[in-house]
Amino acid sequence: MNDLKEPELEEEEAVYDPAQERKRPTMRKLQDAQQTIKRSRIQASNRYKALQRYADESGWQDPMLDVYRIISEHEQKLEGVIDVARQEEVEKFLVYDDWLKHVQGIGPSLAAQVLAWTSPYPPRADMHPTTWWHQAGINARTHVEKWERLVALVDHDIGIDDTSICQSGVDECDGDDSPSWGFHRIGEEILQVTELGTETTYVSRGALGTSTTSHAKGAFIEKATHVRRRLPRARKGGGRITYHPGFRRSLFLVSRSFVLGGRFYREQYVSRKDRLTEQHLGTVTGTKTKTVTKDDGTTVEKEIPIYSALAKDGSQAWSRFDIDRAARWATIKLFLSHLWEMWCESEGIPFNPQTYAQQYLGHNTVIHAPRWDGKNKI
């Protein structure tokens, strides 16, 4: 029995490097410890609630019920101890006292998270805030999506309206007598296409393995390539990620705080969202009714607008969700650039007033960090 070892412990001991551990800022160590204890507390709390619910229903109490309760309560106290230590550590940062704590929406907890992730990569005179953007994975990357679809002139409607297919370059859809059109994406693999006189039969197989046979009066395969810009994310078989998910998660909490209760950065978010909506949201083509259930159980009918697939300039339209996220991350980039600027100012680090966007992207304007007026939050 003594020869058995846990592979997880062996792996941790193998990769542990004391020299590298000494280089990690205390703020980051406290953040990691807090997250470890928080995950353990949530697991213990969930087990306790599940066992308590079973005890209420069956009348039998598991002996581990009190154990999980004690673990949850104890780890909650440990989180409080770490919060005090983080607050003491965050006070040592000059940029926190000079600027960060005066930003509306940034409290001690969010400030501790931001500084925990940025302090391992402090500002330098020969670098830009893009260092933090890359570490957080909030730099959009170009992603190419290729797909095919089989477009068929059919004698029945299979769920796709005429106009959306006509926008793909089909000219036969004119007038009120326009035929119905349908398509199958090649996630639904086309297995066979057979021409029988004026009628075409095609067989496709969906993602679940089921096959579908359809008849059409003529059919053709349309190929398309979509180029999108999106944030990097972990994908199976895509290799190791090059950013810190915890950093991005903390910044998303900051963006939510700005959206709900910010001042300067709330205004920046709204202006960016309005501009992106004007540029990328499709035009309203109609409305549909959706049944919404309230908290009290009652239901109401709500009219929801239907947007076209194309924006005003003819490009692929964005969803409202995409527009909201793009505006949030643009605001966060601005916030990080301001934090970089004020960090350099607080510690006397030479700061290049010409931003990365001006120096490399050809932008003509720059939004400098707002200053605290000594009275009101920024």
Side-chain angles (χ1 to χ4, degrees):
M1 293 294 293
N2 295 332
D3 295 334
L4 298 178
K5 296 182 179 179
E6 298 182 11
E8 294 81 2
L9 296 180
E10 287 186 340
E11 183 179 353
E12 290 182 3
E13 293 174 356
V15 300
Y16 180 77
D17 186 350
Q20 292 295 328
E21 186 68 15
R22 285 194 295 269
K23 293 180 182 179
R24 284 204 311 160
T26 303
M27 201 71 202
R28 176 65 181 278
K29 296 177 182 178
L30 290 172
Q31 174 69 14
D32 292 344
Q34 193 268 348
Q35 290 298 314
T36 300
I37 295 175
K38 181 179 179 179
R39 284 193 295 268
S40 178
R41 175 184 59 81
I42 292 175
Q43 291 175 354
S45 178
N46 289 340
R47 289 296 301 162
Y48 169 74
K49 292 177 182 178
L51 293 176
Q52 182 64 58
R53 184 165 54 250
Y54 180 77
D56 294 339
E57 295 174 354
S58 65
W60 179 79
Q61 180 171 316
D62 193 300
M64 290 297 294
L65 183 65
D66 289 337
V67 175
Y68 284 120
R69 178 183 58 80
I70 294 173
I71 292 176
S72 179
E73 294 175 353
H74 181 64
E75 291 183 331
Q76 190 170 11
K77 294 179 181 179
L78 289 179
E79 282 189 84
V81 172
I82 293 181
D83 286 339
V84 173
R86 288 201 307 174
Q87 182 60 32
E88 294 176 354
E89 189 66 24
V90 80
E91 296 284 351
K92 299 178 182 179
F93 287 84
L94 297 178
V95 67
Y96 173 77
D97 189 61
D98 293 343
W99 184 77
L100 189 57
K101 71 178 183 181
H102 303 298
V103 177
Q104 180 75 21
I106 299 292
S109 178
L110 279 181
Q113 293 184 51
V114 171
L115 294 175
W117 289 105
T118 55
S119 56
Y121 317 98
R124 287 169 32 187
D126 59 339
M127 298 179 67
H128 291 277
T130 50
T131 301
W132 289 342
W133 300 357
H134 289 298
Q135 295 297 330
I138 59 175
N139 256 357
R141 298 178 181 177
T142 301
H143 177 74
V144 180
E145 293 179 347
K146 295 183 178 181
W147 52 273
E148 300 175 346
R149 65 183 182 182
L150 179 67
V151 182
L153 176 56
V154 297
D155 52 8
H156 62 280
D157 188 3
I158 45 181
I160 303 299
D161 63 85
D162 307 334
T163 305
S164 63
I165 302 300
C166 289
Q167 291 173 347
S168 300
V170 181
D171 299 327
E172 290 85 353
C173 299
D174 295 324
D176 296 334
D177 297 329
S178 50
S180 298
W181 291 78
F183 72 88
H184 287 277
R185 289 182 182 272
I186 300 272
E188 296 180 336
E189 179 185 2
I190 296 177
L191 302 179
Q192 181 182 358
V193 177
T194 306
E195 294 186 4
L196 301 174
T198 60
E199 190 174 83
T200 301
T201 300
Y202 60 93
V203 181
S204 62
R205 181 173 60 194
L208 298 180
T210 57
S211 297
T212 303
T213 301
S214 302
H215 301 279
K217 298 177 180 178
F220 61 92
I221 294 177
E222 181 181 67
K223 297 182 180 181
T225 301
H226 287 289
V227 179
R228 301 177 55 194
R229 289 184 61 77
R230 70 184 185 197
L231 299 185
R233 58 191 180 195
R235 282 183 172 273
K236 185 177 181 180
R240 298 181 61 183
I241 58 176
T242 58
Y243 64 94
H244 296 289
F247 193 3
R248 186 194 289 183
R249 191 181 308 114
S250 297
L251 292 178
F252 181 79
L253 296 178
V254 174
S255 73
R256 185 171 64 180
S257 182
F258 285 159
V259 170
L260 295 177
R263 298 189 61 177
F264 174 83
Y265 292 104
R266 161 73 182 181
E267 296 172 359
Q268 296 297 319
Y269 160 77
V270 171
S271 65
R272 282 158 173 75
K273 184 177 180 180
D274 292 342
R275 176 173 55 83
L276 292 172
T277 300
E278 178 67 22
Q279 291 178 350
H280 298 290
L281 188 66
T283 57
V284 178
T285 59
T287 59
K288 63 180 180 180
T289 304
K290 181 180 180 180
T291 302
V292 180
T293 303
K294 294 184 177 181
D295 295 336
D296 58 2
T298 60
T299 59
V300 294
E301 301 293 331
K302 185 177 181 181
E303 293 291 330
I304 299 177
I306 300 175
Y307 297 95
S308 63
L310 299 179
K312 295 180 180 179
D313 60 356
S315 62
Q316 186 74 19
W318 294 10
S319 67
R320 285 193 171 274
F321 176 84
D322 291 336
I323 291 174
D324 171 74
R325 289 299 184 264
R328 285 174 183 251
W329 291 123
T331 305
I332 287 298
K333 283 185 175 182
L334 181 66
F335 164 71
L336 288 179
S337 67
H338 290 169
L339 178 61
W340 183 285
E341 177 183 350
M342 297 308 298
W343 194 318
C344 292
E345 184 177 303
S346 297
E347 300 191 3
I349 302 172
F351 174 72
N352 183 4
Q354 190 177 35
T355 65
Y356 181 90
Q358 288 179 302
Q359 187 170 348
Y360 295 100
L361 303 181
H363 292 200
N364 297 322
T365 59
V366 58
I367 303 176
H368 287 291
R371 282 355 190 227
W372 181 50
D373 61 6
K375 182 179 179 181
N376 300 311
K377 285 277 191 176
I378 298 173

